[in-house]
Amino acid sequence: MDYKRYFKNYPDENGYFGTHGGAMISDELKPAFEEIRDAYKTICHSAQFISELRRIRKEFQGRPTPVYHCERLSKLFGNTQIYLKREDLNHTGAHKLNHCMGEGLLAKFMGKKKLIAETGAGQHGVALATAAAYFGLECEIHMGTVDIAKQAPNVARMKILGAKIVEATHGLATLKEAVDSAFDSYAKQYKDAIYCIGSALGPHPFPLMVRDFQMVIGSEAREQFLEMTGNFPDAVIACVGGGSNSIGMFTPFLDDPVDIYGVEPLGKGPKMGDHAASMAYGTPGIMHGFESYMLKDENGDPAPVYSIASGLDYPSVGPEHAFLKDIGRTTYVPVSDEEAVEAFFLLSKYEGIIPALESSHAVAYAIKYAKENNKRGGAVLACLSGRGDKDVDYIIENYGYGENYLAKYTL
């Protein structure tokens, strides 16, 4: 694979990464997605667009976010040094604003009046509501009943920012159902609205657009890590649900001598319905207008999924991740709820950083990597995709303050 020409070749003109991707949508929606594709092609190389997006990132988002050395956490597990790309310090508390501001700017260019999206953990919803307020646009966020109850702080933030919350009550009433609901609404409003999907998935051109907007994470992290240490990390790690923070973290490192790990939610275990690890247990399938690895039930329909992290409980994954798995460039590994919760408490206690439960999966694998490579040493760089304010009430209610998880660790 010639990674120097990777971005010229993938996706192809029809939105495919190898056999994954595409745009399988109704005839009614095809003009809407073609309009978005053509508009993005027009402005993605525009000096004015790029300059305005850079200004927004610097003056409004607070970028660049730092790379941080977890000195005490690293010491706890031996010689391997753990570093974090601090997307929790991006405005609104997660990486989601990176593509939401880009999509909001695109909507203004297209003359749209409204932003429509789904959300699971609520961070994408908050980010899009923020973008809508910034650009003076209406905002409609679709969210499953289960996630509305679980992520009440983020629901309140969205409403304060002026967004209309549409509750998805069908099925499992989580992220998949929120996407279903948002697509249905968009089909009725596409002339005046733009659908801003919350991850690097969906019909073309969204996997391409979200990757491009999120690559700021890995581009910054690569430069920062080299400046801090003079070397590349041995491994780059990020959590993978749909895959937006991870594809942004991974792609700038594709041509470098580093191992890349995407961390999937194993949840309660490998039984169907107890996890959302589509790479480990899925097979190729089509949902929400694109082809990728998908968890299926006995009828071939999207299977029920679960994760303690609302932003990871999706039965498929972005098509570029599927391609990177197929060509062997990225390894996808599972982390359980229990491992993620332990990492949540360890990072909080030893570094003073309360991570999102989604991000805790990446931290958990960074810890596991440090343990397994203790004798060799080296360094690992993980993306801390978001902060854990939204998860604190849920954690306390179900796990207390972590005494059982922390008792076996001392420095």
Side-chain angles (χ1 to χ4, degrees):
M1 172 66 70
D2 179 8
Y3 291 107
K4 288 182 171 60
R5 294 192 58 80
Y6 178 87
F7 299 106
K8 293 286 187 183
N9 297 329
Y10 302 103
D12 67 17
E13 61 181 11
N14 295 313
Y16 280 93
F17 301 86
T19 61
H20 306 289
M24 284 68 87
I25 51 180
S26 67
D27 290 340
E28 181 185 17
L29 280 176
K30 281 182 180 178
F33 279 84
E34 288 172 359
E35 180 190 20
I36 294 171
R37 180 199 65 199
D38 292 344
Y40 181 67
K41 280 185 176 180
T42 298
I43 68 169
C44 69
H45 298 295
S46 161
Q48 290 82 5
F49 179 85
I50 293 168
S51 176
E52 178 63 8
L53 190 58
R54 285 175 176 171
R55 185 192 67 79
I56 289 169
R57 286 173 173 172
K58 179 180 179 180
E59 298 177 8
F60 184 67
Q61 294 183 229
R63 302 203 69 91
T65 59
V67 165
Y68 171 73
H69 179 207
C70 297
E71 187 174 355
R72 297 186 74 235
L73 189 66
S74 302
K75 187 176 180 181
L76 201 64
F77 299 107
N79 297 318
T80 300
Q81 302 304 300
I82 299 172
Y83 290 80
L84 300 177
K85 177 58 172 168
R86 296 288 308 277
E87 288 301 289
D88 60 313
L89 297 179
N90 192 33
H91 180 46
T92 73
H95 68 289
K96 295 291 188 180
L97 197 63
N98 297 332
H99 67 256
C100 285
M101 295 306 289
E103 288 171 341
L105 194 56
L106 176 63
K108 290 289 285 187
F109 172 82
M110 296 173 68
K112 302 298 184 181
K113 300 175 182 178
K114 189 175 190 177
L115 307 180
I116 298 174
E118 83 299 329
T119 193
Q123 284 300 144
H124 176 62
V126 169
L128 197 68
T130 300
Y134 180 93
F135 290 110
L137 301 169
E138 297 176 51
C139 186
E140 178 181 300
I141 303 296
H142 295 250
M143 193 171 189
T145 303
V146 172
D147 293 333
I148 286 175
K150 193 175 178 181
Q151 304 293 346
N154 273 346
V155 174
R157 293 170 73 194
M158 286 184 269
K159 290 180 177 179
I160 288 171
L161 289 161
K164 175 185 176 183
I165 310 300
V166 178
E167 186 173 354
T169 59
H170 66 290
L172 295 177
T174 56
L175 184 55
K176 174 194 171 293
E177 289 73 28
V179 177
D180 294 339
S181 178
F183 263 109
D184 289 343
S185 180
Y186 178 56
K188 301 170 186 174
Q189 305 182 66
Y190 65 85
K191 291 184 179 180
D192 295 316
I194 183 172
Y195 182 31
C196 301
I197 200 160
S199 195
L201 44 76
H204 179 62
F206 282 96
L208 165 66
M209 284 171 45
V210 173
R211 177 193 73 186
D212 289 354
F213 290 138
Q214 290 293 348
M215 275 180 58
V216 66
I217 302 173
S219 297
E220 287 178 4
R222 185 180 184 276
E223 181 179 346
Q224 290 164 325
F225 194 89
L226 284 169
E227 183 178 351
M228 291 173 74
T229 69
N231 298 296
F232 288 107
D234 295 285
V236 172
I237 298 169
C239 67
V240 179
S244 55
N245 91 95
S246 42
I247 207 67
M249 184 71 169
F250 295 165
T251 44
F253 287 96
L254 289 179
D255 198 38
D256 296 325
V258 302
D259 295 326
I260 301 176
Y261 296 96
V263 186
E264 292 196 289
L266 184 59
K268 301 172 185 175
K271 182 181 176 182
M272 183 184 289
D274 284 349
H275 66 86
S278 52
M279 290 293 207
Y281 300 100
T283 55
I286 296 171
M287 65 177 291
H288 292 149
F290 71 102
E291 192 279 346
S292 186
Y293 286 102
M294 185 178 93
L295 295 167
K296 303 173 186 175
D297 63 17
E298 61 275 8
N299 299 316
D301 296 321
V305 291
Y306 159 81
S307 171
I308 192 174
S310 296
L312 302 182
D313 58 358
Y314 187 70
S316 187
V317 65
E320 190 165 8
H321 283 291
F323 176 65
L324 291 175
K325 175 188 176 180
D326 286 354
I327 64 174
R329 182 62 186 95
T330 301
T331 303
Y332 292 86
V333 294
V335 159
S336 69
D337 281 359
E338 284 295 304
E339 292 171 310
V341 170
E342 181 180 79
F344 175 95
F345 286 120
L346 286 171
L347 189 63
S348 299
K349 176 180 179 179
Y350 286 96
E351 296 293 345
I353 301 170
I354 301 175
L357 283 170
E358 291 78 13
S359 314
S360 298
H361 286 70
V363 177
Y365 191 74
I367 289 171
K368 183 182 291 189
Y369 184 96
K371 289 178 180 178
E372 293 175 352
N373 292 276
N374 178 35
K375 291 184 179 180
R376 188 180 72 180
V380 58
L381 174 61
C383 182
L384 192 70
S385 56
R387 66 179 184 231
D389 306 39
K390 66 184 179 60
D391 297 313
V392 166
D393 291 343
Y394 176 83
I395 284 286
I396 293 171
E397 181 179 346
N398 291 276
Y399 299 94
Y401 293 92
E403 294 87 349
N404 294 338
Y405 293 90
L406 299 171
K408 61 182 177 181
Y409 296 103
T410 55
L411 274 180

